[in-house]
Amino acid sequence: MTATAPTPTSSALTREVFARLELQLSSPADLSLLVAAARTPGSTVEDELVVTHADGPLPQAALPVEVAVGPRERGERMHVLTGVPAGRVVVEYAGRLTPAADAAGAPSPVDLVERFELNRPSRYCPSDELTAFAAAEFGTRAQTGDAELAERITAWVADRLVYTSGSSTPFDGAVQTLLRGQGVCRDYAHLVVTLARALELPARLTAVYAPGLSPMDFHAVAEIRVEDGAGAAQWQVHDATHLAPRPSLWRISTGRDAVDTAFLTSLRGGVALREMQVRAVVTGGDLPTDPTGPVLLR
């Protein structure tokens, strides 16, 4: 079988993204936000994060502080707010994202530590519980090449699950999704990641802005480490929902599962999400189509 060259997600089209979160804090809280688009090397990200409080300006100590997270090559960022007073809080993020001119160049290197870490079970991806099931359903890496195995898993999950809004809870993992037979994007991604790890394919969950997604929201996809016969490896994007073209995606955050990629985390205080809006579009051309072969997320 002839290998197909991976398609980079960073086409020449510029993305415009927006997210708005309306929160109600019942007591002072420390918050972290993962809503900012990743600043991948060579890309141009012009963005702004504004946090407002219904009772007036935020205290200086509570203003957002940007912190780099993950390997430098991914350019991911977290915003941390400490001691946000109780009351109504609105978070607004807007960005204009232009990919690097050499988007078709070499992908980011595969981190050796991450390769092992992302082969272990995690909170929402208990791969050890599905090892025998995955081997019986898909075979093993010794029997099938990584690329074909990853494609088989993604196609199987796409066929097995029904996308159903509101069908899962924040506590459901891949096993619950498998048994229920339905879920939303994060459930699809968790099941793909879990089955890949069960077959010793390192896999991770990635939150993205997804132009073309319907219904529009933050989106979750899987990335699987695919190694060729010569030992070269790439993190390829796999989205069993098929709800948005993969070449349009732009990374926000990456981790073991949804624990590491949550757009909002509170360390103390009572926080309720009252409203959320997300928008992502491409400008300067038509929305790209999704290719049949592998795709790399920049």
mmCIF file of all heavy atoms in Angstrom, residues 270-287:
data_model
loop_
_atom_site.group_PDB
_atom_site.id
_atom_site.type_symbol
_atom_site.label_atom_id
_atom_site.label_comp_id
_atom_site.label_asym_id
_atom_site.label_seq_id
_atom_site.Cartn_x
_atom_site.Cartn_y
_atom_site.Cartn_z
ATOM 1 N N GLY A 270 -17.465 28.819 44.453
ATOM 2 C CA GLY A 270 -18.559 28.243 43.687
ATOM 3 C C GLY A 270 -18.697 28.956 42.356
ATOM 4 O O GLY A 270 -18.890 30.175 42.310
ATOM 5 N N VAL A 271 -18.602 28.209 41.256
ATOM 6 C CA VAL A 271 -18.639 28.802 39.917
ATOM 7 C C VAL A 271 -19.682 28.068 39.074
ATOM 8 O O VAL A 271 -19.656 26.843 38.974
ATOM 9 C CB VAL A 271 -17.269 28.717 39.222
ATOM 10 C CG1 VAL A 271 -17.344 29.352 37.839
ATOM 11 C CG2 VAL A 271 -16.193 29.382 40.061
ATOM 12 N N ALA A 272 -20.598 28.823 38.488
ATOM 13 C CA ALA A 272 -21.597 28.258 37.586
ATOM 14 C C ALA A 272 -21.445 28.908 36.214
ATOM 15 O O ALA A 272 -21.312 30.137 36.118
ATOM 16 C CB ALA A 272 -23.000 28.500 38.128
ATOM 17 N N LEU A 273 -21.447 28.080 35.166
ATOM 18 C CA LEU A 273 -21.390 28.578 33.795
ATOM 19 C C LEU A 273 -22.815 28.868 33.346
ATOM 20 O O LEU A 273 -23.616 27.962 33.147
ATOM 21 C CB LEU A 273 -20.734 27.547 32.877
ATOM 22 C CG LEU A 273 -20.641 27.901 31.391
ATOM 23 C CD1 LEU A 273 -19.783 29.137 31.178
ATOM 24 C CD2 LEU A 273 -20.088 26.713 30.597
ATOM 25 N N ARG A 274 -23.132 30.154 33.164
ATOM 26 C CA ARG A 274 -24.494 30.559 32.810
ATOM 27 C C ARG A 274 -24.737 30.558 31.308
ATOM 28 O O ARG A 274 -25.823 30.267 30.844
ATOM 29 C CB ARG A 274 -24.782 31.962 33.366
ATOM 30 C CG ARG A 274 -24.748 32.061 34.884
ATOM 31 C CD ARG A 274 -25.765 31.153 35.519
ATOM 32 N NE ARG A 274 -25.863 31.363 36.959
ATOM 33 C CZ ARG A 274 -26.507 30.548 37.788
ATOM 34 N NH1 ARG A 274 -27.096 29.448 37.295
ATOM 35 N NH2 ARG A 274 -26.560 30.790 39.072
ATOM 36 N N GLU A 275 -23.704 30.916 30.548
ATOM 37 C CA GLU A 275 -23.875 31.007 29.099
ATOM 38 C C GLU A 275 -22.515 30.862 28.424
ATOM 39 O O GLU A 275 -21.500 31.286 28.972
ATOM 40 C CB GLU A 275 -24.493 32.358 28.726
ATOM 41 C CG GLU A 275 -24.784 32.529 27.247
ATOM 42 C CD GLU A 275 -25.373 33.896 26.934
ATOM 43 O OE1 GLU A 275 -25.824 34.596 27.871
ATOM 44 O OE2 GLU A 275 -25.374 34.272 25.741
ATOM 45 N N MET A 276 -22.503 30.268 27.232
ATOM 46 C CA MET A 276 -21.271 30.131 26.483
ATOM 47 C C MET A 276 -21.554 30.305 24.997
ATOM 48 O O MET A 276 -22.532 29.769 24.474
ATOM 49 C CB MET A 276 -20.614 28.765 26.726
ATOM 50 C CG MET A 276 -19.290 28.582 25.994
ATOM 51 S SD MET A 276 -18.441 27.042 26.428
ATOM 52 C CE MET A 276 -19.466 25.840 25.548
ATOM 53 N N GLN A 277 -20.705 31.072 24.323
ATOM 54 C CA GLN A 277 -20.777 31.235 22.877
ATOM 55 C C GLN A 277 -19.393 30.990 22.295
ATOM 56 O O GLN A 277 -18.397 31.450 22.851
ATOM 57 C CB GLN A 277 -21.233 32.649 22.509
ATOM 58 C CG GLN A 277 -22.586 33.057 23.062
ATOM 59 C CD GLN A 277 -22.865 34.535 22.797
ATOM 60 O OE1 GLN A 277 -22.359 35.122 21.830
ATOM 61 N NE2 GLN A 277 -23.665 35.134 23.652
ATOM 62 N N VAL A 278 -19.335 30.287 21.185
ATOM 63 C CA VAL A 278 -18.075 30.031 20.483
ATOM 64 C C VAL A 278 -18.320 30.263 18.997
ATOM 65 O O VAL A 278 -19.363 29.860 18.464
ATOM 66 C CB VAL A 278 -17.564 28.599 20.715
ATOM 67 C CG1 VAL A 278 -16.265 28.363 19.946
ATOM 68 C CG2 VAL A 278 -17.349 28.334 22.201
ATOM 69 N N ARG A 279 -17.355 30.911 18.355
ATOM 70 C CA ARG A 279 -17.463 31.125 16.917
ATOM 71 C C ARG A 279 -16.088 30.947 16.290
ATOM 72 O O ARG A 279 -15.086 31.411 16.830
ATOM 73 C CB ARG A 279 -17.997 32.532 16.622
ATOM 74 C CG ARG A 279 -18.232 32.800 15.136
ATOM 75 C CD ARG A 279 -18.936 34.125 14.900
ATOM 76 N NE ARG A 279 -18.117 35.269 15.264
ATOM 77 C CZ ARG A 279 -18.354 36.074 16.285
ATOM 78 N NH1 ARG A 279 -19.395 35.844 17.087
ATOM 79 N NH2 ARG A 279 -17.573 37.097 16.540
ATOM 80 N N ALA A 280 -16.021 30.269 15.141
ATOM 81 C CA ALA A 280 -14.765 30.071 14.426
ATOM 82 C C ALA A 280 -15.067 30.001 12.939
ATOM 83 O O ALA A 280 -15.882 29.187 12.503
ATOM 84 C CB ALA A 280 -14.070 28.795 14.885
ATOM 85 N N VAL A 281 -14.397 30.849 12.157
ATOM 86 C CA VAL A 281 -14.609 30.872 10.712
ATOM 87 C C VAL A 281 -13.261 31.015 10.013
ATOM 88 O O VAL A 281 -12.266 31.432 10.621
ATOM 89 C CB VAL A 281 -15.535 32.034 10.281
ATOM 90 C CG1 VAL A 281 -16.916 31.880 10.901
ATOM 91 C CG2 VAL A 281 -14.925 33.390 10.662
ATOM 92 N N VAL A 282 -13.212 30.660 8.741
ATOM 93 C CA VAL A 282 -12.043 30.943 7.909
ATOM 94 C C VAL A 282 -12.384 32.126 7.029
ATOM 95 O O VAL A 282 -13.535 32.308 6.625
ATOM 96 C CB VAL A 282 -11.611 29.737 7.053
ATOM 97 C CG1 VAL A 282 -11.170 28.588 7.934
ATOM 98 C CG2 VAL A 282 -12.727 29.291 6.118
ATOM 99 N N THR A 283 -11.386 32.954 6.736
ATOM 100 C CA THR A 283 -11.602 34.127 5.897
ATOM 101 C C THR A 283 -10.636 34.091 4.716
ATOM 102 O O THR A 283 -9.579 33.480 4.779
ATOM 103 C CB THR A 283 -11.383 35.423 6.695
ATOM 104 O OG1 THR A 283 -10.023 35.461 7.178
ATOM 105 C CG2 THR A 283 -12.328 35.507 7.886
ATOM 106 N N GLY A 284 -11.025 34.757 3.646
ATOM 107 C CA GLY A 284 -10.153 34.845 2.481
ATOM 108 C C GLY A 284 -10.248 33.676 1.540
ATOM 109 O O GLY A 284 -9.407 33.517 0.639
ATOM 110 N N GLY A 285 -11.253 32.830 1.709
ATOM 111 C CA GLY A 285 -11.401 31.680 0.831
ATOM 112 C C GLY A 285 -12.457 30.731 1.340
ATOM 113 O O GLY A 285 -13.099 30.965 2.369
ATOM 114 N N ASP A 286 -12.646 29.648 0.615
ATOM 115 C CA ASP A 286 -13.646 28.649 0.996
ATOM 116 C C ASP A 286 -13.127 27.750 2.112
ATOM 117 O O ASP A 286 -11.921 27.538 2.260
ATOM 118 C CB ASP A 286 -14.016 27.786 -0.213
ATOM 119 C CG ASP A 286 -14.675 28.590 -1.324
ATOM 120 O OD1 ASP A 286 -15.337 29.596 -1.004
ATOM 121 O OD2 ASP A 286 -14.510 28.209 -2.500
ATOM 122 N N LEU A 287 -14.055 27.209 2.872
ATOM 123 C CA LEU A 287 -13.711 26.238 3.898
ATOM 124 C C LEU A 287 -13.066 25.031 3.230
ATOM 125 O O LEU A 287 -13.585 24.505 2.247
ATOM 126 C CB LEU A 287 -14.983 25.802 4.633
ATOM 127 C CG LEU A 287 -14.823 24.969 5.902
ATOM 128 C CD1 LEU A 287 -14.247 25.824 7.028
ATOM 129 C CD2 LEU A 287 -16.180 24.389 6.316
#
